[in-house]
Structures are given as C-alpha cells and as structure tokens.
C-alpha cells in the first residue's frame, strides 16, 4: 500500500469565509457584573444583558455574540471589558443596553480568563500569557501597558491600591503594580499546599484566598513583603469557586452552596448560614447576591444574612444537543434527554425556539426526508422512530421499531440503516407507520460508530480501528466483503463520495481511501488535522465539513481527494454535539446554544482563473478563455471562475493575468471572483 501523508495548506477559495449569522437557546453563565437595574452576564456564547429592576422576573434586554467564549466581565461607565479566552480582551459599548456593540479587541499572548479594572487599566489573567496590563483610557484603542510572567499559568487576579494578588499555578502571589509598565514580584500570600486557587478578594489590608479542598484563608497584607495569616475557615474536600467580601461578611461560593461567613474576628471565622446553589461566579449588589451558573442566573436575597432566600432566577437550561437536522426553515435538535427541540430559522439572524417534542431514550441521530424525520436513539427499546413533519412545529409520531443502541442512521430510498455497536440493522421504511427490521449483520468484534451507504454497499467506521464494508444487495442477508484493522485507534466517522471514503479518527487524523474496488480499498491520503478530533462529517459538492466537540468546524476542499486542502475553520464556543449543512447555512447544535453560520462553500470550491474546471491552474485555462472569447468555445461554469484580475469582467486581461502568474511569477488570481 502506498501512503501519502498530507499537511493541510490553505487553498484559493471563493467567498468571505464562514461568518456568524445567529443563535438561540444560550446557556452557560460564566460571570456576572451588576450595576443599577442591569446584570451584565458573560456567557459561553457571548454577552447577555438582563433587566433586574424586578429581581423576581429578570428579563433579557440585549445580547451580543462573542466568538472567543467570555469568561469574566467588568464594567466602567458605558463600557464592558470581557476576558474572551483565545480572543483576548473584548471591549463592548453598552450605552444602549438593547444593542451592545464591540468597539475594540486586544489580542493577548495567552488565553484571557479573568479581568480586573482599576482606574484606566485592565489587568488580564492570561493563563500561559501571564498577567497582561492594558491601558483603556481610550476604550476604542486599548494599548499594552505592561506584563508579568510568573513561569506558571495565571488564572485569576485582584488589584487593590498598588498590589495585584495573582493566582499563579497552585498558589497566589503578590505583585507590585505601582509602575504598571514594570510589575515586580513581592512574594507569596500563603504557603502552597498543592491545591488550586481559582479566585481571591481583598479589602483594606486583608486578602481572602479560597484554596480548593482546604479552606478560605484570611491574610494580613499590610506589609505585602511579610503577609501574615490571620485565620482560616476550613472546607476539607470541598471545591471553592468564588469569594466576595463586604464589611465583616464573607460570601463564599462553594461547589454546591453559597456560604455566608462572619469574619468580624478573622482568627475565628464562622458560618452564619448557607443557601444551596451551584455556580461559576458571584457578585453582590445591595441586598442581593447574583450567582452565574451553567443553568441560569440565580438571585438571592441576603438582606438578612441569617436567612438567605431565592428572590428570582433567569433559566437557561443547556441544550445538550447530540444530533441536528434542518428543513423548510425549521431546525430540529435531538437532545440526550430525549427532547427534539424545534427552532424556526426562517430568519437565520434571529432563530426562535418554538417547541419541543419528547421521545423515549436519547436521540443520537436525525435524518429528514420527504416531510418525515427519522430518529436514531439509545437507551430505549424502540430505538428507531419516524415522525411526521407535515406541521413542522408539531411533529406527530408515526411508527417505531427496535434497532439496538443506535449510534448513527442512514436513509436510502425505502431502507434505513442503523449502526448499533455489534450490529448493523436494515429497516424497511416503505410504510412509515410500520418500520420493520428485515436484515441484520452481527460482528462479535465490531464497534460500529458510524455508517454511510452507497447503492448496496454499507461503509462502517469501527471504533476499534477498522473500516468494514458490507454488501447488502440482499438486504435480508448483508455480507462482509472487507474488514481491515488500522493502527490509528478509533474510527469515529465516515462519509463516501465518488469512490472515495473519508474517515475521521480520534487523535486528529483523517484518511481518504479509494474504494473503487470495495473488496480492496487503497489509501489515497492521510491528513493531519493538528489535534482536531473529527466527531461528525458531511460532504457537499467537493467540500467536506468536520466538527470537533471542543474545537469547532473545519472545512476541506476534496476536489482532488489525494490532496485535501484546508479551506476554512471556525471556532465555536462551548461543546458541540452535532451539525447540519444545507444550501446556504451551517447549523451547529451544542451544549450551550444553537448556532447558525454562513456557508460560502455550499456550491463547492471555485478557483479563480481556473476556467476549464480540471482542478488545476495551468496553461489550459487561459487557452480555454481565449477559445470562449474569440472562437465561440464553451464558457467557464460558472462564468465568473474564469475571472482572475479582479475587474469583474471576463476578458483578455484575465488571460494575460493568468499567463503572468504561471510563467512570470506574477500575483495570484484575485479572490473572490464569484459572489
């Protein structure tokens, strides 16, 4: 076997690239900043602004998608400063809360995890990028002011006067920031115990350091060079998330409760009361505590510290998407808990949640054909189900049958195919009210993750590293015609087009096999996706789309299957469960949102100047254009693909431009050439 190992390179493609269009069903509150009647919430997918004038009924006022996935937020005047992980510092104008707008971003060398604002400086805990200090005296023009690198990742910080308490690795340190351009280490605040510290707070001359599984340390930092332990509130074995201090009261957010602690005597802090709640951060405003949690924002009345009560909440349940499909302006998201959640996406910029339909089990796959939805499920007896979508917003159950724990399904004509671990089930769906299993293949050593069907052949991605091919010309008795172990451990996904199988493996590998002879496939390409683990794949025209649960979307040109080329990528916040590609849009279902993206590659890849469509830019292309212009030869399809010099007209100038590029090291064809 001849192996060809390909390192992906960018190709000349048409369009402005994948862009965000809209999203819905946001969840995952990461941080909250409260001021006046508004709560400004950093969420997995961006910024949410809530009107909290009535704490019992918080109401959404405005949203802003931020691709970098916000982690932390602070406010000053009409501006928000947001730590947006790989996107760095994002600055948002909120003068009109209903229409927040990004006015600037500031790239940081690491991953922005937390921000703290003091005067006109934003201090950024930038993970491996250290502590970055950014001057925002002109919010629209942030500028680096200084930085401190500890040698360990910096996860959090708190600034008081000229001191920054910084979480570096597993213990916090004190840094002198009197000269922000030259921050200098003073020393540690507490001895390292080997447990992580995820937050800190300082008030007057005291620092409050919650150390995971150990306790909350109260430290005198009047002399920062010689910090002195005052007392510890012990929390053995408990994860500590965030802390806020006001007067003599400490509000300590633990993994499953908010504790209110009296620290009037720092040597002997004691619990006053607790309130059961899980969250990622907290903020205190007047008599209310605000807890940002995965499932929503919780508002707790703490007017009486001895009797905290829930004042209100904003619900944002995670979507838990595992599969997604779209049709007739509606998007159907299959969830782990058996909900089929339905969105109206007629306006892609503003998709609307309209209803959900509950089925037994966990939805793992969805296929829509001719007004019917076919569902693959796990953890239920009837794991193949058919729904009528005549009323798209109100599906009706038609029929169902057992098909094992279905990992994936495929529909072709009147047959459905289900991959279920050791089994491949073949189901007759000619009568959608009575689907019936008519054939089955059992492999004692098989671990079917995905399947793809072409005519009578079933291609199987096996989790134990095999590609298997079944001949199902007799659907009642499918026969294995090929099975081969691949040392790249787990084959997760598979799609087939034009005698080539495209297989995604765990660990970032993607292989192309020539299956023109299905009994003896040969390797056409072995492509490195740089750690991107493909979890789902879709092919449209000469483009293949991959998603990774954590890394987003990658798009490859497979015009030449032996040399797949990276066209585009798009990082999607949060975890991804499934996606779907149609003629103009890409729909991504994740744990924290439905996200809709533009799809400039829906019609395939067009190479500017490549007029004869042979997949290569060479002398044949200007000759093709000359024949078209002067000899009534055939036109490029589409016509715009012959355009090379950017003047939006196909003429002799394009011929000269391409010849200069090929033979005289002239500039490459100008993109885009087609709308």
């Amino acid at each position: 076997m001849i192996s060809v190992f390909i390192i992906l390179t960018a190709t000349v493609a048409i369009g402005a690239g994948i862009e965000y269009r809209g999203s819905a069903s946001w969840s995952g509150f990461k941080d909250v900043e409260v001021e006046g009647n508004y709560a400004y919430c950093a969420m997995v997918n961006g910024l949410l602004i809530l009107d909290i004038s009535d704490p019992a009924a918080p109401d959404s006022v405005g949203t802003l998608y931020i691709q970098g996935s916000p982690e932390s937020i602070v406010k000053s005047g009409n501006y928000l400063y947001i730590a947006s992980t790989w996107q760095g510092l994002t600055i948002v104008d909120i003068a009109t809360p209903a229409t927040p707008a990004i006015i600037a971003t500031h790239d940081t060398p690491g991953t922005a995890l937390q921000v703290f604002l003091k005067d006109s400086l934003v201090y950024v805990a930038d993970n491996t990028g250290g502590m970055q200090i950014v001057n925002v005296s002109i919010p629209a023009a942030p500028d680096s002011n200084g930085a401190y690198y500890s040698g360990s990742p910096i996860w959090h910080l708190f600034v008081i006067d000229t001191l920054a308490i910084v979480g570096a690795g597993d213990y916090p340190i004190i840094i002198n920031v009197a000269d922000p351009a030259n921050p200098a280490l003073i020393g540690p605040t507490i001895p390292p115990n080997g447990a992580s510290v995820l937050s800190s707070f300082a008030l007057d001359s005291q620092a409050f350091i919650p150390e995971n599984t150990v306790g909350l340390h109260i430290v005198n930092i009047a002399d920062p060079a010689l910090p002195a332990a005052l007392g510890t509130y012990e929390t053995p074995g408990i994860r500590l998330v965030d802390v806020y201090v006001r007067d003599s009261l400490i509000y300590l957010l633990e993994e499953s409760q908010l504790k209110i602690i009296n620290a009037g005597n720092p040597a002997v802090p004691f619990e006053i009361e607790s309130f059961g709640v899980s969250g990622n951060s907290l903020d205190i405003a007047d008599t209310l505590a605000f807890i940002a949690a995965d499932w929503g924002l919780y508002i707790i009345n703490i007017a009486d510290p001895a009797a905290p009560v829930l004042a209100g909440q904003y619900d944002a349940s995670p979507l838990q998407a595992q599969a997604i499909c779209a049709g007739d302006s509606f998007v159907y998201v299959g969830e782990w808990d058996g909900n089929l959640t339905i969105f109206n996406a007629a306006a892609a910029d503003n998709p609307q949640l309209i209803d959900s339909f509950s089925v037994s089990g966990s939805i793992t796959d969805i296929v829509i054909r001719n007004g019917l939805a076919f569902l693959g499920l796990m953890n239920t007896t009837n794991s193949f189900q058919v729904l009528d979508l005549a009323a798209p917003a109100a599906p009706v159950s038609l029929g169902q049958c057992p098909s094992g724990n279905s990992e994936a399904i495929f529909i072709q004509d009147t047959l459905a195919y289900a991959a279920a671990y050791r089994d491949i089930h073949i189901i007759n769906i000619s009568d959608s009210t009575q689907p019936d299993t008519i054939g089955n293949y059992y492999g004692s050593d098989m671990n079917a993750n995905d399947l793809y069907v072409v005519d009578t052949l079933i291609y199987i991605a096996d989790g134990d590293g095999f590609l298997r091919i079944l001949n199902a010309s007799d659907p009642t008795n499918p026969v294995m015609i090929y099975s081969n172990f691949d040392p790249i451990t787990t084959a997760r996904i598979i799609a087939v087009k034009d005698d080539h199988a495209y297989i995604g493996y765990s660990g970032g590998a993607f292989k192309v096999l020539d299956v023109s002879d299905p009994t003896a496939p040969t390797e056409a390409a072995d492509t490195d996706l740089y750690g991107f683990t493909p979890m789902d794949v879709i092919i449209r025209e000469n483009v293949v789309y991959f998603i990774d649960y954590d890394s987003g979307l990658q798009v490859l040109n497979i015009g030449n299957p032996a040399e797949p080329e990276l066209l585009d990528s798009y990082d999607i916040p949060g975890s991804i469960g499934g996606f779907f590609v149609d003629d103009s849009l890409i729909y991504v279902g994740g744990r924290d949102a439905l996200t809709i993206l533009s799809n400039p590659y829906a019609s395939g890849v067009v190479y500017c100047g490549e007029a004869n469509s042979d997949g290569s830019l060479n002398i044949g292309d200007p000759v093709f254009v000359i024949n078209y212009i002067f000899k009534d030869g055939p036109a490029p399809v589409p016509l715009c693909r012959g355009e090379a010099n950017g003047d939006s007209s196909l003429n002799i100038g394009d011929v000269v431009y391409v010849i200069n590029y090929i033979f005289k090291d002239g500039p490459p064809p100008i993109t885009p050439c087609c709308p």
Side-chain angles (χ1 to χ4, degrees):
M1 178 183 294
I2 299 175
S3 296
V4 183
F5 186 77
I6 305 295
I7 299 296
L8 294 180
T9 56
T11 188
V12 179
I14 298 310
I18 295 170
E19 295 180 345
Y20 172 79
R21 290 292 305 275
S23 56
S25 287
W26 284 17
S27 66
F29 285 74
K30 308 296 285 188
D31 194 16
V32 58
E33 176 95 343
V34 178
E35 184 176 289
N37 289 328
Y38 296 104
Y40 303 92
C41 306
M43 302 186 68
V44 169
N45 288 277
L47 167 69
L48 169 65
I49 302 177
L50 297 176
D51 183 336
I52 53 167
S53 53
D54 179 2
D59 186 39
S60 174
V61 174
T63 59
L64 177 67
Y65 177 77
I66 299 174
Q67 190 182 2
S69 192
E71 287 283 336
S72 172
I73 188 168
V74 292
K75 178 182 181 295
S76 177
N78 288 328
Y79 301 99
L80 296 176
Y81 302 88
I82 301 172
S84 301
T85 59
W86 59 266
Q87 203 172 52
L89 175 66
T90 301
I91 303 174
V92 178
D93 186 330
I94 51 165
T96 305
T99 56
I102 295 173
I103 60 166
T105 59
H106 180 80
D107 192 18
T108 56
T111 305
L113 299 177
Q114 190 189 352
V115 286
F116 193 98
L117 179 67
K118 187 175 186 299
D119 301 325
S120 61
L121 297 177
V122 174
Y123 297 78
V124 182
D126 201 42
N127 200 353
T128 55
M131 177 180 72
Q132 298 292 316
I133 304 174
V134 183
N135 188 322
V136 293
S137 54
I138 303 174
D143 186 41
S144 294
N145 198 109
Y148 178 83
Y149 298 92
S150 71
S152 298
I154 290 181
W155 298 333
H156 70 87
L157 46 77
F158 192 100
V159 180
I160 181 170
D161 299 328
T162 60
L163 303 177
I165 301 169
V166 173
D170 288 334
Y171 66 99
I173 57 178
I174 302 177
I175 299 172
N176 186 330
V177 290
D179 178 3
N182 296 287
L185 176 67
I186 296 177
T189 58
I190 58 172
N193 292 310
S196 61
V197 176
L198 301 179
S199 65
S200 59
F201 201 95
L203 184 65
D204 300 327
S205 60
Q206 294 180 354
F208 301 83
I209 313 294
E211 186 177 13
N212 259 343
T213 70
V214 177
L216 175 70
H217 304 287
I218 305 175
V219 182
N220 187 324
I221 55 171
D223 181 353
L226 295 169
L230 296 176
T232 297
Y233 177 81
E234 296 182 353
T235 59
I238 296 174
R239 187 172 69 92
L240 305 181
V241 179
D242 203 1
V243 62
Y244 193 102
V245 183
R246 187 168 63 183
D247 300 325
S248 61
L249 296 180
I250 302 172
Y251 301 87
L252 179 63
L253 183 60
E254 298 180 352
E255 58 189 352
S256 61
Q257 61 184 339
L258 172 67
K259 280 188 177 177
I260 303 176
I261 300 167
N262 188 319
N265 179 357
V268 191
F270 64 90
E271 179 183 333
I272 300 174
E273 189 52 277
S274 63
F275 183 90
V277 65
S278 297
N280 298 313
S281 68
L282 84 146
D283 194 23
I284 306 291
D286 299 325
T287 59
L288 298 174
F290 296 81
I291 311 293
D294 289 343
W295 291 70
L297 180 71
Y298 299 94
I299 305 174
I300 302 166
N301 189 322
I302 52 172
D304 180 358
V309 295
L310 184 67
Q313 65 188 69
Y314 183 87
D315 291 324
S317 299
L319 192 58
Q320 301 184 82
Q322 293 211 129
I324 184 171
C325 200
D328 296 329
S329 299
F330 290 89
V331 182
Y332 301 86
V333 177
E335 301 186 51
W336 178 253
D337 60 4
N339 278 330
L340 181 67
T341 303
I342 307 166
F343 298 85
N344 186 329
D349 296 342
N350 187 29
Q352 297 293 311
L353 172 65
I354 56 175
D355 209 344
S356 64
F357 181 87
S358 183
V359 298
S360 175
S362 301
I363 301 173
T364 55
D365 205 355
I366 307 171
V367 178
I368 295 176
R369 291 284 189 279
N370 302 321
L372 300 177
F374 301 90
L375 307 183
L377 300 108
M378 299 181 72
N379 306 321
T380 186
T381 300
N382 292 311
S383 51
F384 179 81
Q385 299 192 22
V386 186
L387 305 180
D388 186 346
L389 302 180
V396 175
S397 180
L398 288 180
Q400 54 192 1
C401 71
S403 63
N405 278 325
S406 298
E407 290 277 358
I409 61 173
F410 194 97
I411 307 298
Q412 181 176 263
D413 300 327
T414 60
L415 295 177
Y417 304 81
Y421 190 43
R422 303 291 189 203
D423 293 276
I424 300 297
H425 299 276
I426 303 177
I427 303 165
N428 185 336
I429 55 172
S430 56
D431 181 353
S432 56
T433 66
Q434 294 184 326
D436 180 40
T437 299
I438 60 171
N440 179 78
Y441 179 87
Y442 174 80
S444 60
D445 62 346
M446 187 165 66
N447 182 8
N449 278 334
D450 196 13
L451 81 171
Y452 199 96
V453 181
V454 178
D455 297 327
T456 61
L457 298 178
I458 306 172
Y459 299 83
I460 303 164
D462 188 299
D464 291 328
F466 287 85
L467 166 67
R468 303 178 191 265
I469 304 176
L470 303 180
N471 185 328
S473 54
D474 177 1
T476 66
N477 185 32
V479 178
M480 182 77 71
I481 61 171
Y482 179 81
S483 177
N484 187 53
F485 174 73
D486 194 306
I488 302 179
T489 55
T490 302
R492 293 189 176 274
I493 55 173
I494 188 166
V496 181
K497 179 178 172 59
D498 298 335
D499 289 333
H500 286 86
Y502 301 84
I503 307 172
Y505 294 83
S506 59
F510 156 56
K511 287 196 172 186
V512 184
L513 299 182
D514 184 331
V515 292
S516 53
D517 179 356
T519 65
T522 58
E523 188 170 295
D526 185 349
T527 301
D528 186 359
L529 296 179
Y530 302 107
F532 182 97
T533 300
M535 303 303 294
D536 201 358
V537 58
I538 295 174
I539 296 178
R540 295 285 188 270
E541 302 295 338
N542 60 348
V543 176
V544 61
Y545 305 78
F546 286 114
I547 58 162
D548 179 291
Y549 282 158
D550 297 314
S551 303
L553 175 72
Q554 287 202 15
V555 184
L556 278 64
N557 171 28
I558 54 170
N560 180 354
E563 297 183 3
E565 298 173 296
L566 181 64
L567 285 175
D568 208 344
S569 62
Y570 192 92
D571 189 279
I572 298 168
S575 298
I576 301 170
F579 80 130
F580 183 79
V581 179
D582 70 10
D583 293 338
S584 59
L585 298 169
I586 302 169
Y587 306 86
V588 182
R591 181 180 184 275
D592 300 297
L594 163 70
T595 303
I596 302 178
L597 308 172
S598 66
N599 183 14
Y601 312 104
S603 299
V605 179
V606 175
Y607 287 93
C608 298
E610 202 273 293
N612 62 6
S613 303
D614 68 355
S616 176
L617 186 61
N618 53 46
I619 190 60
D621 297 300
V623 171
F624 192 92
V625 174
I626 289 172
N627 285 334
Y628 165 68
I629 295 173
F630 297 108
K631 296 185 178 182
D632 295 324
V637 180
L639 186 66
C640 54
R641 78 179 299 145
E643 236 292 292
N645 62 6
D647 68 358
S648 300
S649 175
L650 184 57
N651 51 47
I652 193 64
D654 298 297
V655 172
V656 173
Y657 194 95
V658 172
I659 290 174
N660 284 335
Y661 170 64
I662 295 172
F663 296 108
K664 296 186 176 182
D665 294 325
I670 296 171
T671 61
C673 50
C674 293

